[in-house]
Amino acid sequence: MAQWTSAVGAGQLARLLGSQQDRPAGPGTRRPPAYRALADGVRLLVLEGRVPVAARLPAERELAMALTVSRTTVAAAYEALRAEGFLESRRGAGSWTAVPAGNPLPARGLEPLPPEALGSMIDLGCAALPAPEPWLTRAVRGALEELPPYAHTHGDYPAGLPALRAMIAERYTARGIPTMPEQIMVTTGAMGAIDAICHLFGGRGERIAVESPSYANILQLMREAGARLVPVAMAEGLTGWDVDRWRQVLRDAAPRIAYVVADFHNPTGALADDDQRRRLVDAARSAGTVLVADETMSELWLEEGVEMPRPVCAFDPAGSTVVTVGSASKAFWAGMRIGWVRAAPDVIRSLVAARAYADLGTPVLEQLAVNWLFSTGGWEQAVQVRREQARHNRDALVAAVRRELPDWEFEVPRGGLTLWVRTGGLSGSRLAAAGERVGVRVPSGPRFGVDGAFEGYVRLPFTVGGAVAEEAAVRLAAAARLVESGGVGSGEAPRTFVA
């Protein structure tokens, strides 16, 4: 790591270290020397992603004052962290967090589980459910009825079918966000949308601020584009963002783009409230940062009485700061591959112009199918089926994991499709490797972080229920025992598709 990309103040680091004191120590644990306890505390904060990798730490004197310890204690702790590979320093530039060179990092390739392996392997890598029938079949039949006029054209609609653009615009307007069709571009899934946005606003070497943890496939997409990722730790629990941290990162790192998932965040399930959304938009506007808001989970609340906040773009009435991404993949079916971008008309025109050198457009039949769902009320009924299925799966998986792995820690989200689990001190990468041996595929925490953070986590999606959820937990427990016994090496876990 050549230099730091964000900073952690002395008071902030002291508060984070203080929060660790609430965790009970194991029986018979001896109190380590003060410098060792401080070094271990910082190391844990880095591995859990609560202090980002490449974050500049406060000077020794500043931290000593904040912690009310001697400067010698802080200096010894920093030296221990440097020796272990968790800190790098350069004269005149200070010290910043790092991870050891041998720490397991995300694989470059994220390929799906081969269909022939589905019979013997429980796949917890992909946070996507089967299509909600009969709505998929009805939508395709409706699309076929609308297809003939389009078959007499060239079939390329770089901005999307006019009818679907108008329908998506109407849906935003109905949510209290006045929107014209000229503000919508239909894309090939949310991944296609974000890829286009990154190419328009970012370039190789550009900084992009991301939540830490964040959606693994998007992080990989940005890495492949040559972006420099600047992680921003989430707030504690499922409470959304730490906006003060965001404001500091946007001010200090000046990223060109910031990518956030405000609605049932993937992977944590957090839901940002109205005040957090307003303040983050204000901070992005002040910093000149384009804020990309991913709404793919926004309709997947799983409990009655969940009051959804306003969309992020509602706090950007001028349309100069927020670019919104939506998709049918999570709420309906990933195989549909329909996404969209809502932005200012000039941004949409630029995205459409650039598309001539990418995929030219999104398949017509799938666009017609989504338009049929939107226009007939089928979408609302299908999403309700999806919510009920995800809720039952969530409850079954939570009960099974609590029974089989009582030491694992997590909070149950009120929506979304994922459970973010602390694995009781076990390596998530080794658990992923052990899981392959015992018949359960699970993505490790580092896939959702930057540069090796979250080694003590795994993500569990609500994609299986009933007896399959119970068996998945049994196999995860077997994988945990295999790791505890030393039966899995420390190398990188097998490649796992993460959706």
Side-chain angles (χ1 to χ4, degrees), residues 139-202:
V140 172
R141 287 174 178 167
L144 287 171
E145 293 177 0
E146 299 292 331
L147 182 62
Y150 296 94
H152 294 293
T153 72
H154 51 64
D156 288 334
Y157 295 87
L161 294 184
L164 181 55
R165 296 177 72 196
M167 183 60 66
I168 294 171
E170 286 181 18
R171 290 174 63 82
Y172 275 106
T173 300
R175 296 168 66 189
I177 318 296
T179 303
M180 303 179 295
E182 292 79 8
Q183 291 177 262
I184 302 296
M185 181 177 83
V186 181
T187 62
T188 307
M191 290 288 290
I194 294 170
D195 183 55
I197 293 166
C198 288
H199 278 89
L200 177 63
F201 290 106

Side-chain angles (χ1 to χ4, degrees), residues 17-388:
L17 290 165
S19 69
Q20 296 176 334
Q21 297 174 1
D22 297 331
R23 299 183 183 178
T29 302
R30 298 182 63 182
R31 187 178 184 88
Y35 85 90
R36 183 69 263 171
L38 175 56
D40 288 346
V42 173
R43 176 175 54 82
L44 182 60
L45 290 172
V46 172
L47 288 174
E48 290 189 345
R50 298 174 69 198
V51 168
V53 175
R56 188 179 187 273
L57 295 186
E60 294 172 2
R61 187 184 302 277
E62 294 175 3
L63 185 57
M65 292 178 62
L67 296 174
T68 62
V69 299
S70 71
R71 183 177 177 181
T72 302
T73 296
V74 177
Y78 278 15
E79 183 58 35
L81 289 167
R82 276 189 288 269
E84 296 163 5
F86 286 94
L87 196 69
E88 295 183 10
S89 304
R90 189 172 66 240
R91 186 177 298 276
S95 299
W96 56 92
T97 56
V99 291
N103 234 48
L105 295 178
R108 290 177 57 82
L110 302 174
E111 67 273 13
L113 186 67
E116 62 271 15
L118 290 174
S120 59
M121 183 77 69
I122 297 176
D123 187 8
L124 297 181
C126 187
L129 291 162
E133 288 288 25
W135 299 107
L136 175 61
T137 298
R138 292 180 183 177
V140 172
R141 287 174 178 167
L144 287 171
E145 293 177 0
E146 299 292 331
L147 182 62
Y150 296 94
H152 294 293
T153 72
H154 51 64
D156 288 334
Y157 295 87
L161 294 184
L164 181 55
R165 296 177 72 196
M167 183 60 66
I168 294 171
E170 286 181 18
R171 290 174 63 82
Y172 275 106
T173 300
R175 296 168 66 189
I177 318 296
T179 303
M180 303 179 295
E182 292 79 8
Q183 291 177 262
I184 302 296
M185 181 177 83
V186 181
T187 62
T188 307
M191 290 288 290
I194 294 170
D195 183 55
I197 293 166
C198 288
H199 278 89
L200 177 63
F201 290 106
R204 187 163 292 277
E206 287 279 4
R207 290 178 176 175
I208 300 179
V210 295
E211 296 149 328
S212 183
S214 186
Y215 179 29
N217 278 354
I218 295 299
L219 294 181
Q220 190 65 20
L221 181 155
M222 293 173 176
R223 291 186 187 103
E224 296 289 346
R228 297 173 59 193
L229 302 183
V230 182
V232 186
M234 298 288 289
E236 285 294 304
L238 301 179
T239 55
W241 304 315
D242 184 332
V243 182
D244 290 337
R245 291 190 193 182
W246 270 101
R247 189 177 296 279
Q248 180 183 19
V249 168
L250 295 179
R251 182 185 64 242
D252 294 345
R256 185 70 182 92
I257 302 171
Y259 169 76
V260 296
V261 184
D263 305 295
F264 307 120
H265 173 260
N266 185 352
T268 67
L271 179 64
D273 61 29
D274 277 337
D275 182 61
Q276 290 173 330
R277 295 170 192 233
R278 178 185 298 105
R279 292 171 59 205
L280 183 56
V281 172
D282 289 345
R285 184 183 297 113
S286 298
T289 297
V290 176
L291 185 62
V292 180
D294 187 335
E295 288 189 336
T296 54
M297 297 282 191
S298 63
E299 297 190 59
L300 289 177
W301 61 87
L302 304 184
E303 297 175 2
E304 297 296 332
V306 174
E307 185 174 346
M308 290 300 295
R310 300 178 67 196
V312 176
C313 59
F315 303 100
D316 181 37
S320 59
T321 299
V322 177
V323 176
T324 302
V325 172
S327 172
S329 295
K330 300 299 185 183
F332 187 75
W333 185 46
M336 191 68 80
R337 306 311 308 145
I338 296 294
W340 53 86
V341 178
R342 181 199 180 274
D346 61 317
V347 172
I348 295 297
R349 287 193 293 270
S350 297
L351 290 170
V352 171
R355 200 168 191 181
Y357 308 100
D359 61 358
L360 294 178
T362 301
V364 171
L365 187 63
E366 283 83 347
Q367 291 188 70
L368 289 172
V370 172
N371 192 60
W372 183 92
L373 288 165
F374 285 157
S375 61
T376 63
W379 176 268
E380 285 70 24
Q381 296 179 66
V383 171
Q384 183 59 35
V385 171
R386 170 68 76 239
R387 292 190 192 111
E388 292 172 1

